[in-house]
C-alpha cells in the first residue's frame, strides 16, 4: 500500500528543489486558538517561515489523505470547521480509514512530517505531564513521540497548566534532548523562565542542526525538543498568569473534563480569563519559533546537501 500523502503545490515544488521545509501542526488552529485569530496566526506563521528562507507545511488529515501543506482555502476551511477531530498517534490511522477531517497534535504532526521526510517542526507549546498525573495518569503522547520520531520540535517550552518538573523528568527518562535556546532556564510558554534549569543549552541554529544530524548518525531514534523563550516584549509574568491557570484547573476538575478534552479546555479558559491578552503573546511566541525552525531547517538542508 502506498503512503496516503498529499503535497500542496508549494510543498511539492520545495521537495523537487530540495528546499528546507518546516512542518506546522493544525491542532493549534482547531483546538488551540479561537477563530478568526487562529487562521490569521496560521497565515502569519507560514509567512514567517517563508521570510526566513524555508517553506511551511501545515499538516492535517482530510479525505483519506495526510495533507502536507494546505492551500489558503484549505487553511481557511479548517480554521472555521466545527467538530474537527484532535488526532494523536492513536487516532491517525483510524481517521484516515474513515475519511474524517482531523487536526494533528505535536505527536501526530511529527509522525506525518517524518513520513514526508521533514525534520523540523515549529509550534507553540507541547503537551506534557498534567498536574495530578499521579492519580489521573494524564501524560501527553507528545512526550513518547519525541523519543521515537526523528523530528526536531521548536516550542516555547510548555505551559504551566502542566506539571513542568514532572514533564522534564519524563523527557529525561525517555532520552529526549531538551535544549533551551540562548539561556539556561527551561521556558514556560508565556514566561521566559519556568524557574527550572533546562538539561541542555544551545546558542545557535547551527549547533541544533548538527545535534539533530548526529543523533541520526549514532542511530539514536527520536527527536529533540528545542525550548525557545518568548520574546521579552511579549512576555506575561508568572504572577499574572498563574491565578488564571489555577482557576481554569479548578474548573476542569469540577466539570469532570478528561482525556483529550483537558488541554483544549484549559487553553480556551485561559484565553477567556486573560481577556485575550494571552493570545497576543501566543502569536508572538509562535512566530519566534517559526523563525528559529526555519533557520534550523536551512542548516540541516545545507549540511545534508554537502554530505
Ligand atoms: N499546548 C499548547 N498549545 C496547544 C497544544 C498544547 O500550549 O495547542 C496542543 C498541541 O497540539 C499538543 C496537544 O500536541 O495540544 C497536546 O494535547 P494532549 O495534552 O491531549 O496530548
Ligand atoms: Mn492527555
Amino acid at each position: 500500500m502506498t503512503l496516503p500523502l498529499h503535497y500542496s503545490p508549494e510543498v511539492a515544488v520545495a521537495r523537487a528543489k530540495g528546499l528546507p521545509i518546516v512542518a506546522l501542526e493544525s491542532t493549534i488552529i482547531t483546538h488551540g486558538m479561537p477563530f478568526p485569530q487562529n487562521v490569521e496566526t496560521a497565515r502569519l506563521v507560514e509567512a514567517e517561515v517563508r521570510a526566513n528562507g524555508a517553506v511551511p507545511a501545515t499538516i492535517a488529515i482530510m479525505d483519506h489523505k495526510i495533507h502536507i501543506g494546505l492551500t489558503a482555502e484549505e487553511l481557511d476551511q479548517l480554521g472555521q470547521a466545527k467538530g474537527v477531530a484532535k488526532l494523536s498517534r492513536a487516532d491517525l490511522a483510524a481517521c484516515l480509514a474513515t475519511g474524517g477531517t482531523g487536526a494533528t497534535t505535536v505527536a501526530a504532526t511529527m509522525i506525518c512530517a517524518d513520513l514526508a521526510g521533514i525534520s523540523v517542526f515549529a509550534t507553540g507549546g507541547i503537551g506534557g505531564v498534567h498536574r495530578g498525573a499521579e492519580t489521573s495518569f494524564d501524560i501527553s503522547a507528545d512526550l513518547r513521540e519525541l523519543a521515537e520520531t526523528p523530528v526536531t520540535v521548536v516550542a516555547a517550552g510548555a505551559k504551566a497548566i502542566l506539571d513542568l518538573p514532572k514533564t522534564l523528568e519524563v523527557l529525561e527518562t525517555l532520552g529526549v534532548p531538551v535544549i533551551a535556546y540562548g539561556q539556561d532556564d527551561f521556558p514556560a510558554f508565556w514566561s521566559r523562565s519556568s524557574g527550572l534549569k533546562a538539561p541542555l543549552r544551545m546558542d545557535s541554529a547551527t549547533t541544533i542542526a548538527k545535534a539533530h544530524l548526529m543523533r541520526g548518525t549514532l542511530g539514536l531514534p527520536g527527536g529533540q525538543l528545542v525550548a525557545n523563550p518568548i520574546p521579552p516584549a511579549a512576555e506575561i509574568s508568572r504572577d499574572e498568569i498563574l491565578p488564571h491557570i489555577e482557576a481554569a484547573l479548578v474548573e476542569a476538575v469540577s466539570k469532570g473534563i478528561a482525556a483529550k478534552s483537558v488541554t483544549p479546555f484549559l487553553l480556551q479558559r485561559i484565553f477567556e480569563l486573560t481577556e485575550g491578552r494571552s493570545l497576543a503573546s501566543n502569536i508572538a511566541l509562535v512566530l519566534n519559533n517559526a523563525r528559529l525552525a526555519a533557520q534550523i531547517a536551512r542548516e540541516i538542508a545545507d549540511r545534508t546537501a554537502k554530505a
Side-chain angles (χ1 to χ4, degrees):
M1 217 158 68
T2 52
L3 284 169
L5 291 169
H6 172 85
Y7 296 97
S8 68
E10 184 186 14
V11 174
V13 169
R15 282 168 57 81
K17 292 188 177 170
L19 301 178
I21 302 174
V22 172
L24 301 166
E25 63 156 307
S26 44
T27 295
I28 190 173
I29 302 172
T30 56
H31 295 70
M33 287 186 189
F35 179 81
Q37 290 97 331
N38 59 349
V39 174
E40 285 160 19
T41 304
R43 286 212 191 93
L44 288 174
V45 173
E46 290 195 345
E48 194 69 19
V49 171
R50 291 187 194 101
N52 285 276
V55 173
T58 303
I59 294 177
I61 310 303
M62 294 178 294
D63 299 324
H64 300 278
K65 292 267 188 282
I66 300 172
H67 286 248
I68 308 289
L70 301 180
T71 63
E73 298 74 53
E74 285 167 344
L75 190 64
D76 213 67
Q77 278 166 19
L78 189 73
Q80 299 191 55
K82 298 263 180 283
V84 175
K86 172 183 162 189
L87 310 177
S88 190
R89 167 177 276 260
D91 320 290
L92 202 50
C95 183
L96 285 161
T98 55
T101 298
T104 52
T105 59
V106 169
T109 306
M110 289 178 75
I111 294 170
C112 298
D114 185 43
L115 291 172
I118 302 170
S119 13
V120 183
F121 161 25
T123 186
I126 61 156
V129 179
H130 279 265
R131 299 199 199 184
E134 57 275 24
T135 50
S136 70
F137 277 51
D138 190 347
I139 302 176
S140 176
D142 292 353
L143 301 186
R144 215 202 61 160
E145 207 56 55
L146 281 159
E148 298 242 330
T149 304
V151 173
T152 287
V153 178
V154 183
K159 287 198 173 121
I161 57 172
L162 301 171
D163 186 320
L164 298 181
K166 287 195 184 74
T167 300
L168 288 176
E169 287 293 348
V170 169
L171 286 166
E172 183 189 312
T173 302
L174 292 170
V176 176
V178 177
I179 303 161
Y181 182 65
Q183 66 177 32
D184 292 331
D185 282 6
F186 184 67
F189 201 83
W190 294 293
S191 320
R192 285 176 64 81
S193 173
S194 61
L196 304 164
K197 206 168 168 304
L200 299 165
R201 168 185 175 153
M202 290 183 189
D203 293 336
S204 76
T206 311
T207 315
I208 296 167
K210 282 186 187 166
H212 175 100
L213 294 169
M214 186 56 76
R215 280 185 72 86
T217 304
L218 298 178
L220 295 172
Q224 312 188 103
L225 175 60
V226 177
N228 186 24
I230 184 171
E235 187 177 25
I236 303 180
S237 74
R238 282 206 287 170
D239 292 348
E240 189 178 336
I241 204 83
L242 273 176
H244 298 308
I245 291 174
E246 304 289 351
L249 285 163
V250 168
E251 229 181 284
V253 171
S254 73
K255 290 196 162 131
I257 308 288
K260 280 167 145 355
S261 306
V262 174
T263 298
F265 175 84
L266 294 173
L267 299 183
Q268 173 64 27
R269 282 305 285 143
I270 291 164
F271 283 132
E272 289 162 6
L273 291 168
T274 60
E275 291 164 347
R277 175 142 155 59
S278 65
L279 193 55
S281 297
N282 203 342
I283 295 168
L285 68 85
V286 184
L287 291 174
N288 192 43
N289 296 342
R291 212 169 300 135
L292 179 58
Q295 288 164 14
I296 298 167
R298 282 168 46 201
E299 292 285 346
I300 291 177
D302 282 356
R303 268 149 226 286
T304 317
K306 280 191 204 124

